[in-house]
Amino acid sequence: MKQCFCSSVFQRGFLIIATCMATGYAANATDATSWRGTPDPAVTKAITRIGDLYSTGAIDRAGEEVALAYYRNLSTSNGRILSAMPPEQLVPGLAHNLRPDGDSAVRVYRLAANLGNPDAFLKLGDLYLSGELVTSDPEKAFSFFQQAADLGSETASVNVGLMMIEGTGTSHNISGGIELLTEAAEKGNAKALMALGDIYRTGKPQGVDADPERSFGYYKRASDGGNIAAAIITARMLIDGEGTPSAPDKGYEIARQLFEAKDPSAMLLMGDIHLSGLPGLLTPDAKKAFEAYSMASEAGSTTGRKQTALMLVRGEGVDRDVDEGLRILQDMAESGDASAMYILGQLYENGEENAIQADVTKAFDFYRTAAASEDLSSMLRMAFMLIEGVGTSRDATTGVTVLEQLAEDGNSDANLMLGEFHSGAIGEGQPQDMEKAFGYYQTATEAGSGTARVQTALMLLRGQGTEVDREAGMTLLQSAADTGDPNAMLALGTVYVSGEAGRVDANAAISAYEAAASQGVFMAYILLGDLYSRGEILPADGELAVLYYKKAAGIETLDETGTPNNANTQ
C-alpha cells in the first residue's frame, strides 16, 4: 500500500483522505489494539487535539472519523513520522457552531491516552476536575493526573501534589503533596513555585507554618523565570518588606517596567502604589491611581473596573459621580460578579460615608445573592446580619448554621464570629455557651486571628469557658501586644488595672495604654485620663487627666476663649 505520509500527500491535502480511509478505521475504538506498533508522538498529540475540538464544539463525528483514519494510517506506516497534519487542516469547514461535547472529548482523549500520550491523561484530569463538560469526579481526575505524572508530565505531578494537599479526590497528605511540589519547583516549574510561594506566604493549609522569607524565594525564582504573576507579587513584597528587606525602589521598578509593557496586573499594582504612595519615593496621587485603574479596566480587568467605580463613588482622583460608579457595579453584579455585589452591599450598608442613602435591606439582599455564589465575605456579612437582625428579620439559627459550615472548612473569621455569638458579643447580647465560645476563639487564634487571640487570653485570665490560667493568658496577651495589636495593648492595660494579671500594676498599665495611644487609638487617652482622674491605683492628678482627655478629643491647647488652637483628630 502506498504510504500516506509522503510530501505529496501534504501538498494535495484532503484528497488523500479517501485513500487513507480505505483501511476502514472504526472511530468508536477506545483502546490501542487497532493500532499496529507504537504511534509517533506527533500522531497522539494530533489525536488529543481532536478531543480539544470536541470540547470547543468545533468538530463532529464525521470529522473525527476522517481525521482518525488519517492518523491510523500514519501510525501503521513504515519509518518514523516527523510531522502530522493537525485535525483542523484535515477537516475542511469545521463547524464552530456545535455544542461542546464532553463525552466525545473524553472518548478521544482516552484513545490518545491509551496510545501513551501523557497530555491526554492531563486533559482527562482537567475535564473531570472542572466538571464543566462532564460530571465532576475528583477521584477520576486524580487517577488521570497520576497516570500522566507516571508518564513524565510535570504539570500533572504538580496537580497531584495540590490535590493531595487539599484532599481533593484522594486522602489528605500535606507532606507528600508539598514534597511533589518541591521536586517540580527544583526543576523550575512555575506552577509549583507559585503554589509553594502561596503556601508559605499564607501558612495554609493548616499545619504548615507561614514562612515569608521562603515564600519570597519561591516567587522570586518564578519571577526570574518570566512568570508575570510572580513578578507582581515579588514587587508587592519588596515594597512592603514582606519576607525580604524593604526595597520600595526595586518593587516600584518591577511594577513600572511591567506597566510600560501594558500588563493589566501591573496597572492594578501601579494604581495601588499611586493611591497609597511610597514613603521617600512617591507621594499619594489619587488622579494617577484612577488613571492606572482605568487602564486596567479597559484592558479587561474586573478588579480595575471595580476600583474605578469605587473612586467615582468616592470622588477620589476624579470628579465624584456616584450614579456612574453605582451603574458600573450594578452592571457587574447583574452579570454575576459576586465581589461587585459585596461592594454594593458595603456601600449601601455604610451609605452616608459614600454620599449614598443607607439601605440595610438592599445591602442584605446583595450579600445574600453573592452568598449564593459562595462569596466568603458576603456569606460572613449575611450571617452577621441574620444574627443581629439588621436589614432582615433576626434568624440566629440560619446565621449560625452558615458560620458553622464555613468554620468546618477552616475559615478563621467564621470561627471568630461563632466565638462572639456564643460569648454574647453579637446577637441578643446574652452568652449562649461560654465553653463553645472559648473553643471557637481558640481555633481562630490558631488560624492567626489577632482579635481571637485577645479574647482567648481574656477568657483564660477570667476562667470563662475554661479553667483559670493566668500564666497562659498573660503570655498570649503579651505576645499579641508585642505584634503591635493596639486592641491587645488596651486589654493588657486593663488587666493590669483590674488585677486580672495576678497583680495591680499602674506603671505596666500606663505603658500599655501609651503604646496603644502612640498608634492613634483615642480610647487609650481616655483610659489614661480615667487612671489619673479616679486616683484609685495611683495618686489623682486632675491636670494630667484633663490633658489626656484633650488628646482624646484631638485638642492640644485652648486659647483664652476656650477655642482649640489646634486639633489632631486621632
Side-chain angles (χ1 to χ4, degrees), residues 40-41 56 109 115 140 144 202 213 242 306 328 366 384 404 442 477 514 516 531 534:
D40 186 272
T56 59
Y109 286 145
L115 292 171
K140 275 187 178 180
F144 285 128
T202 62
E213 187 174 348
E242 181 186 354
K306 281 176 278 199
I328 292 171
F366 278 119
F384 175 82
E404 288 174 342
Q442 202 169 35
L477 193 55
E514 287 183 341
L531 277 180
R534 292 172 182 168

Side-chain angles (χ1 to χ4, degrees), residues 33-51:
T33 57
S34 62
W35 298 69
R36 293 190 295 275
T38 302
D40 186 272
V43 172
T44 60
K45 182 177 180 180
I47 294 170
T48 302
R49 180 74 182 112
I50 296 175

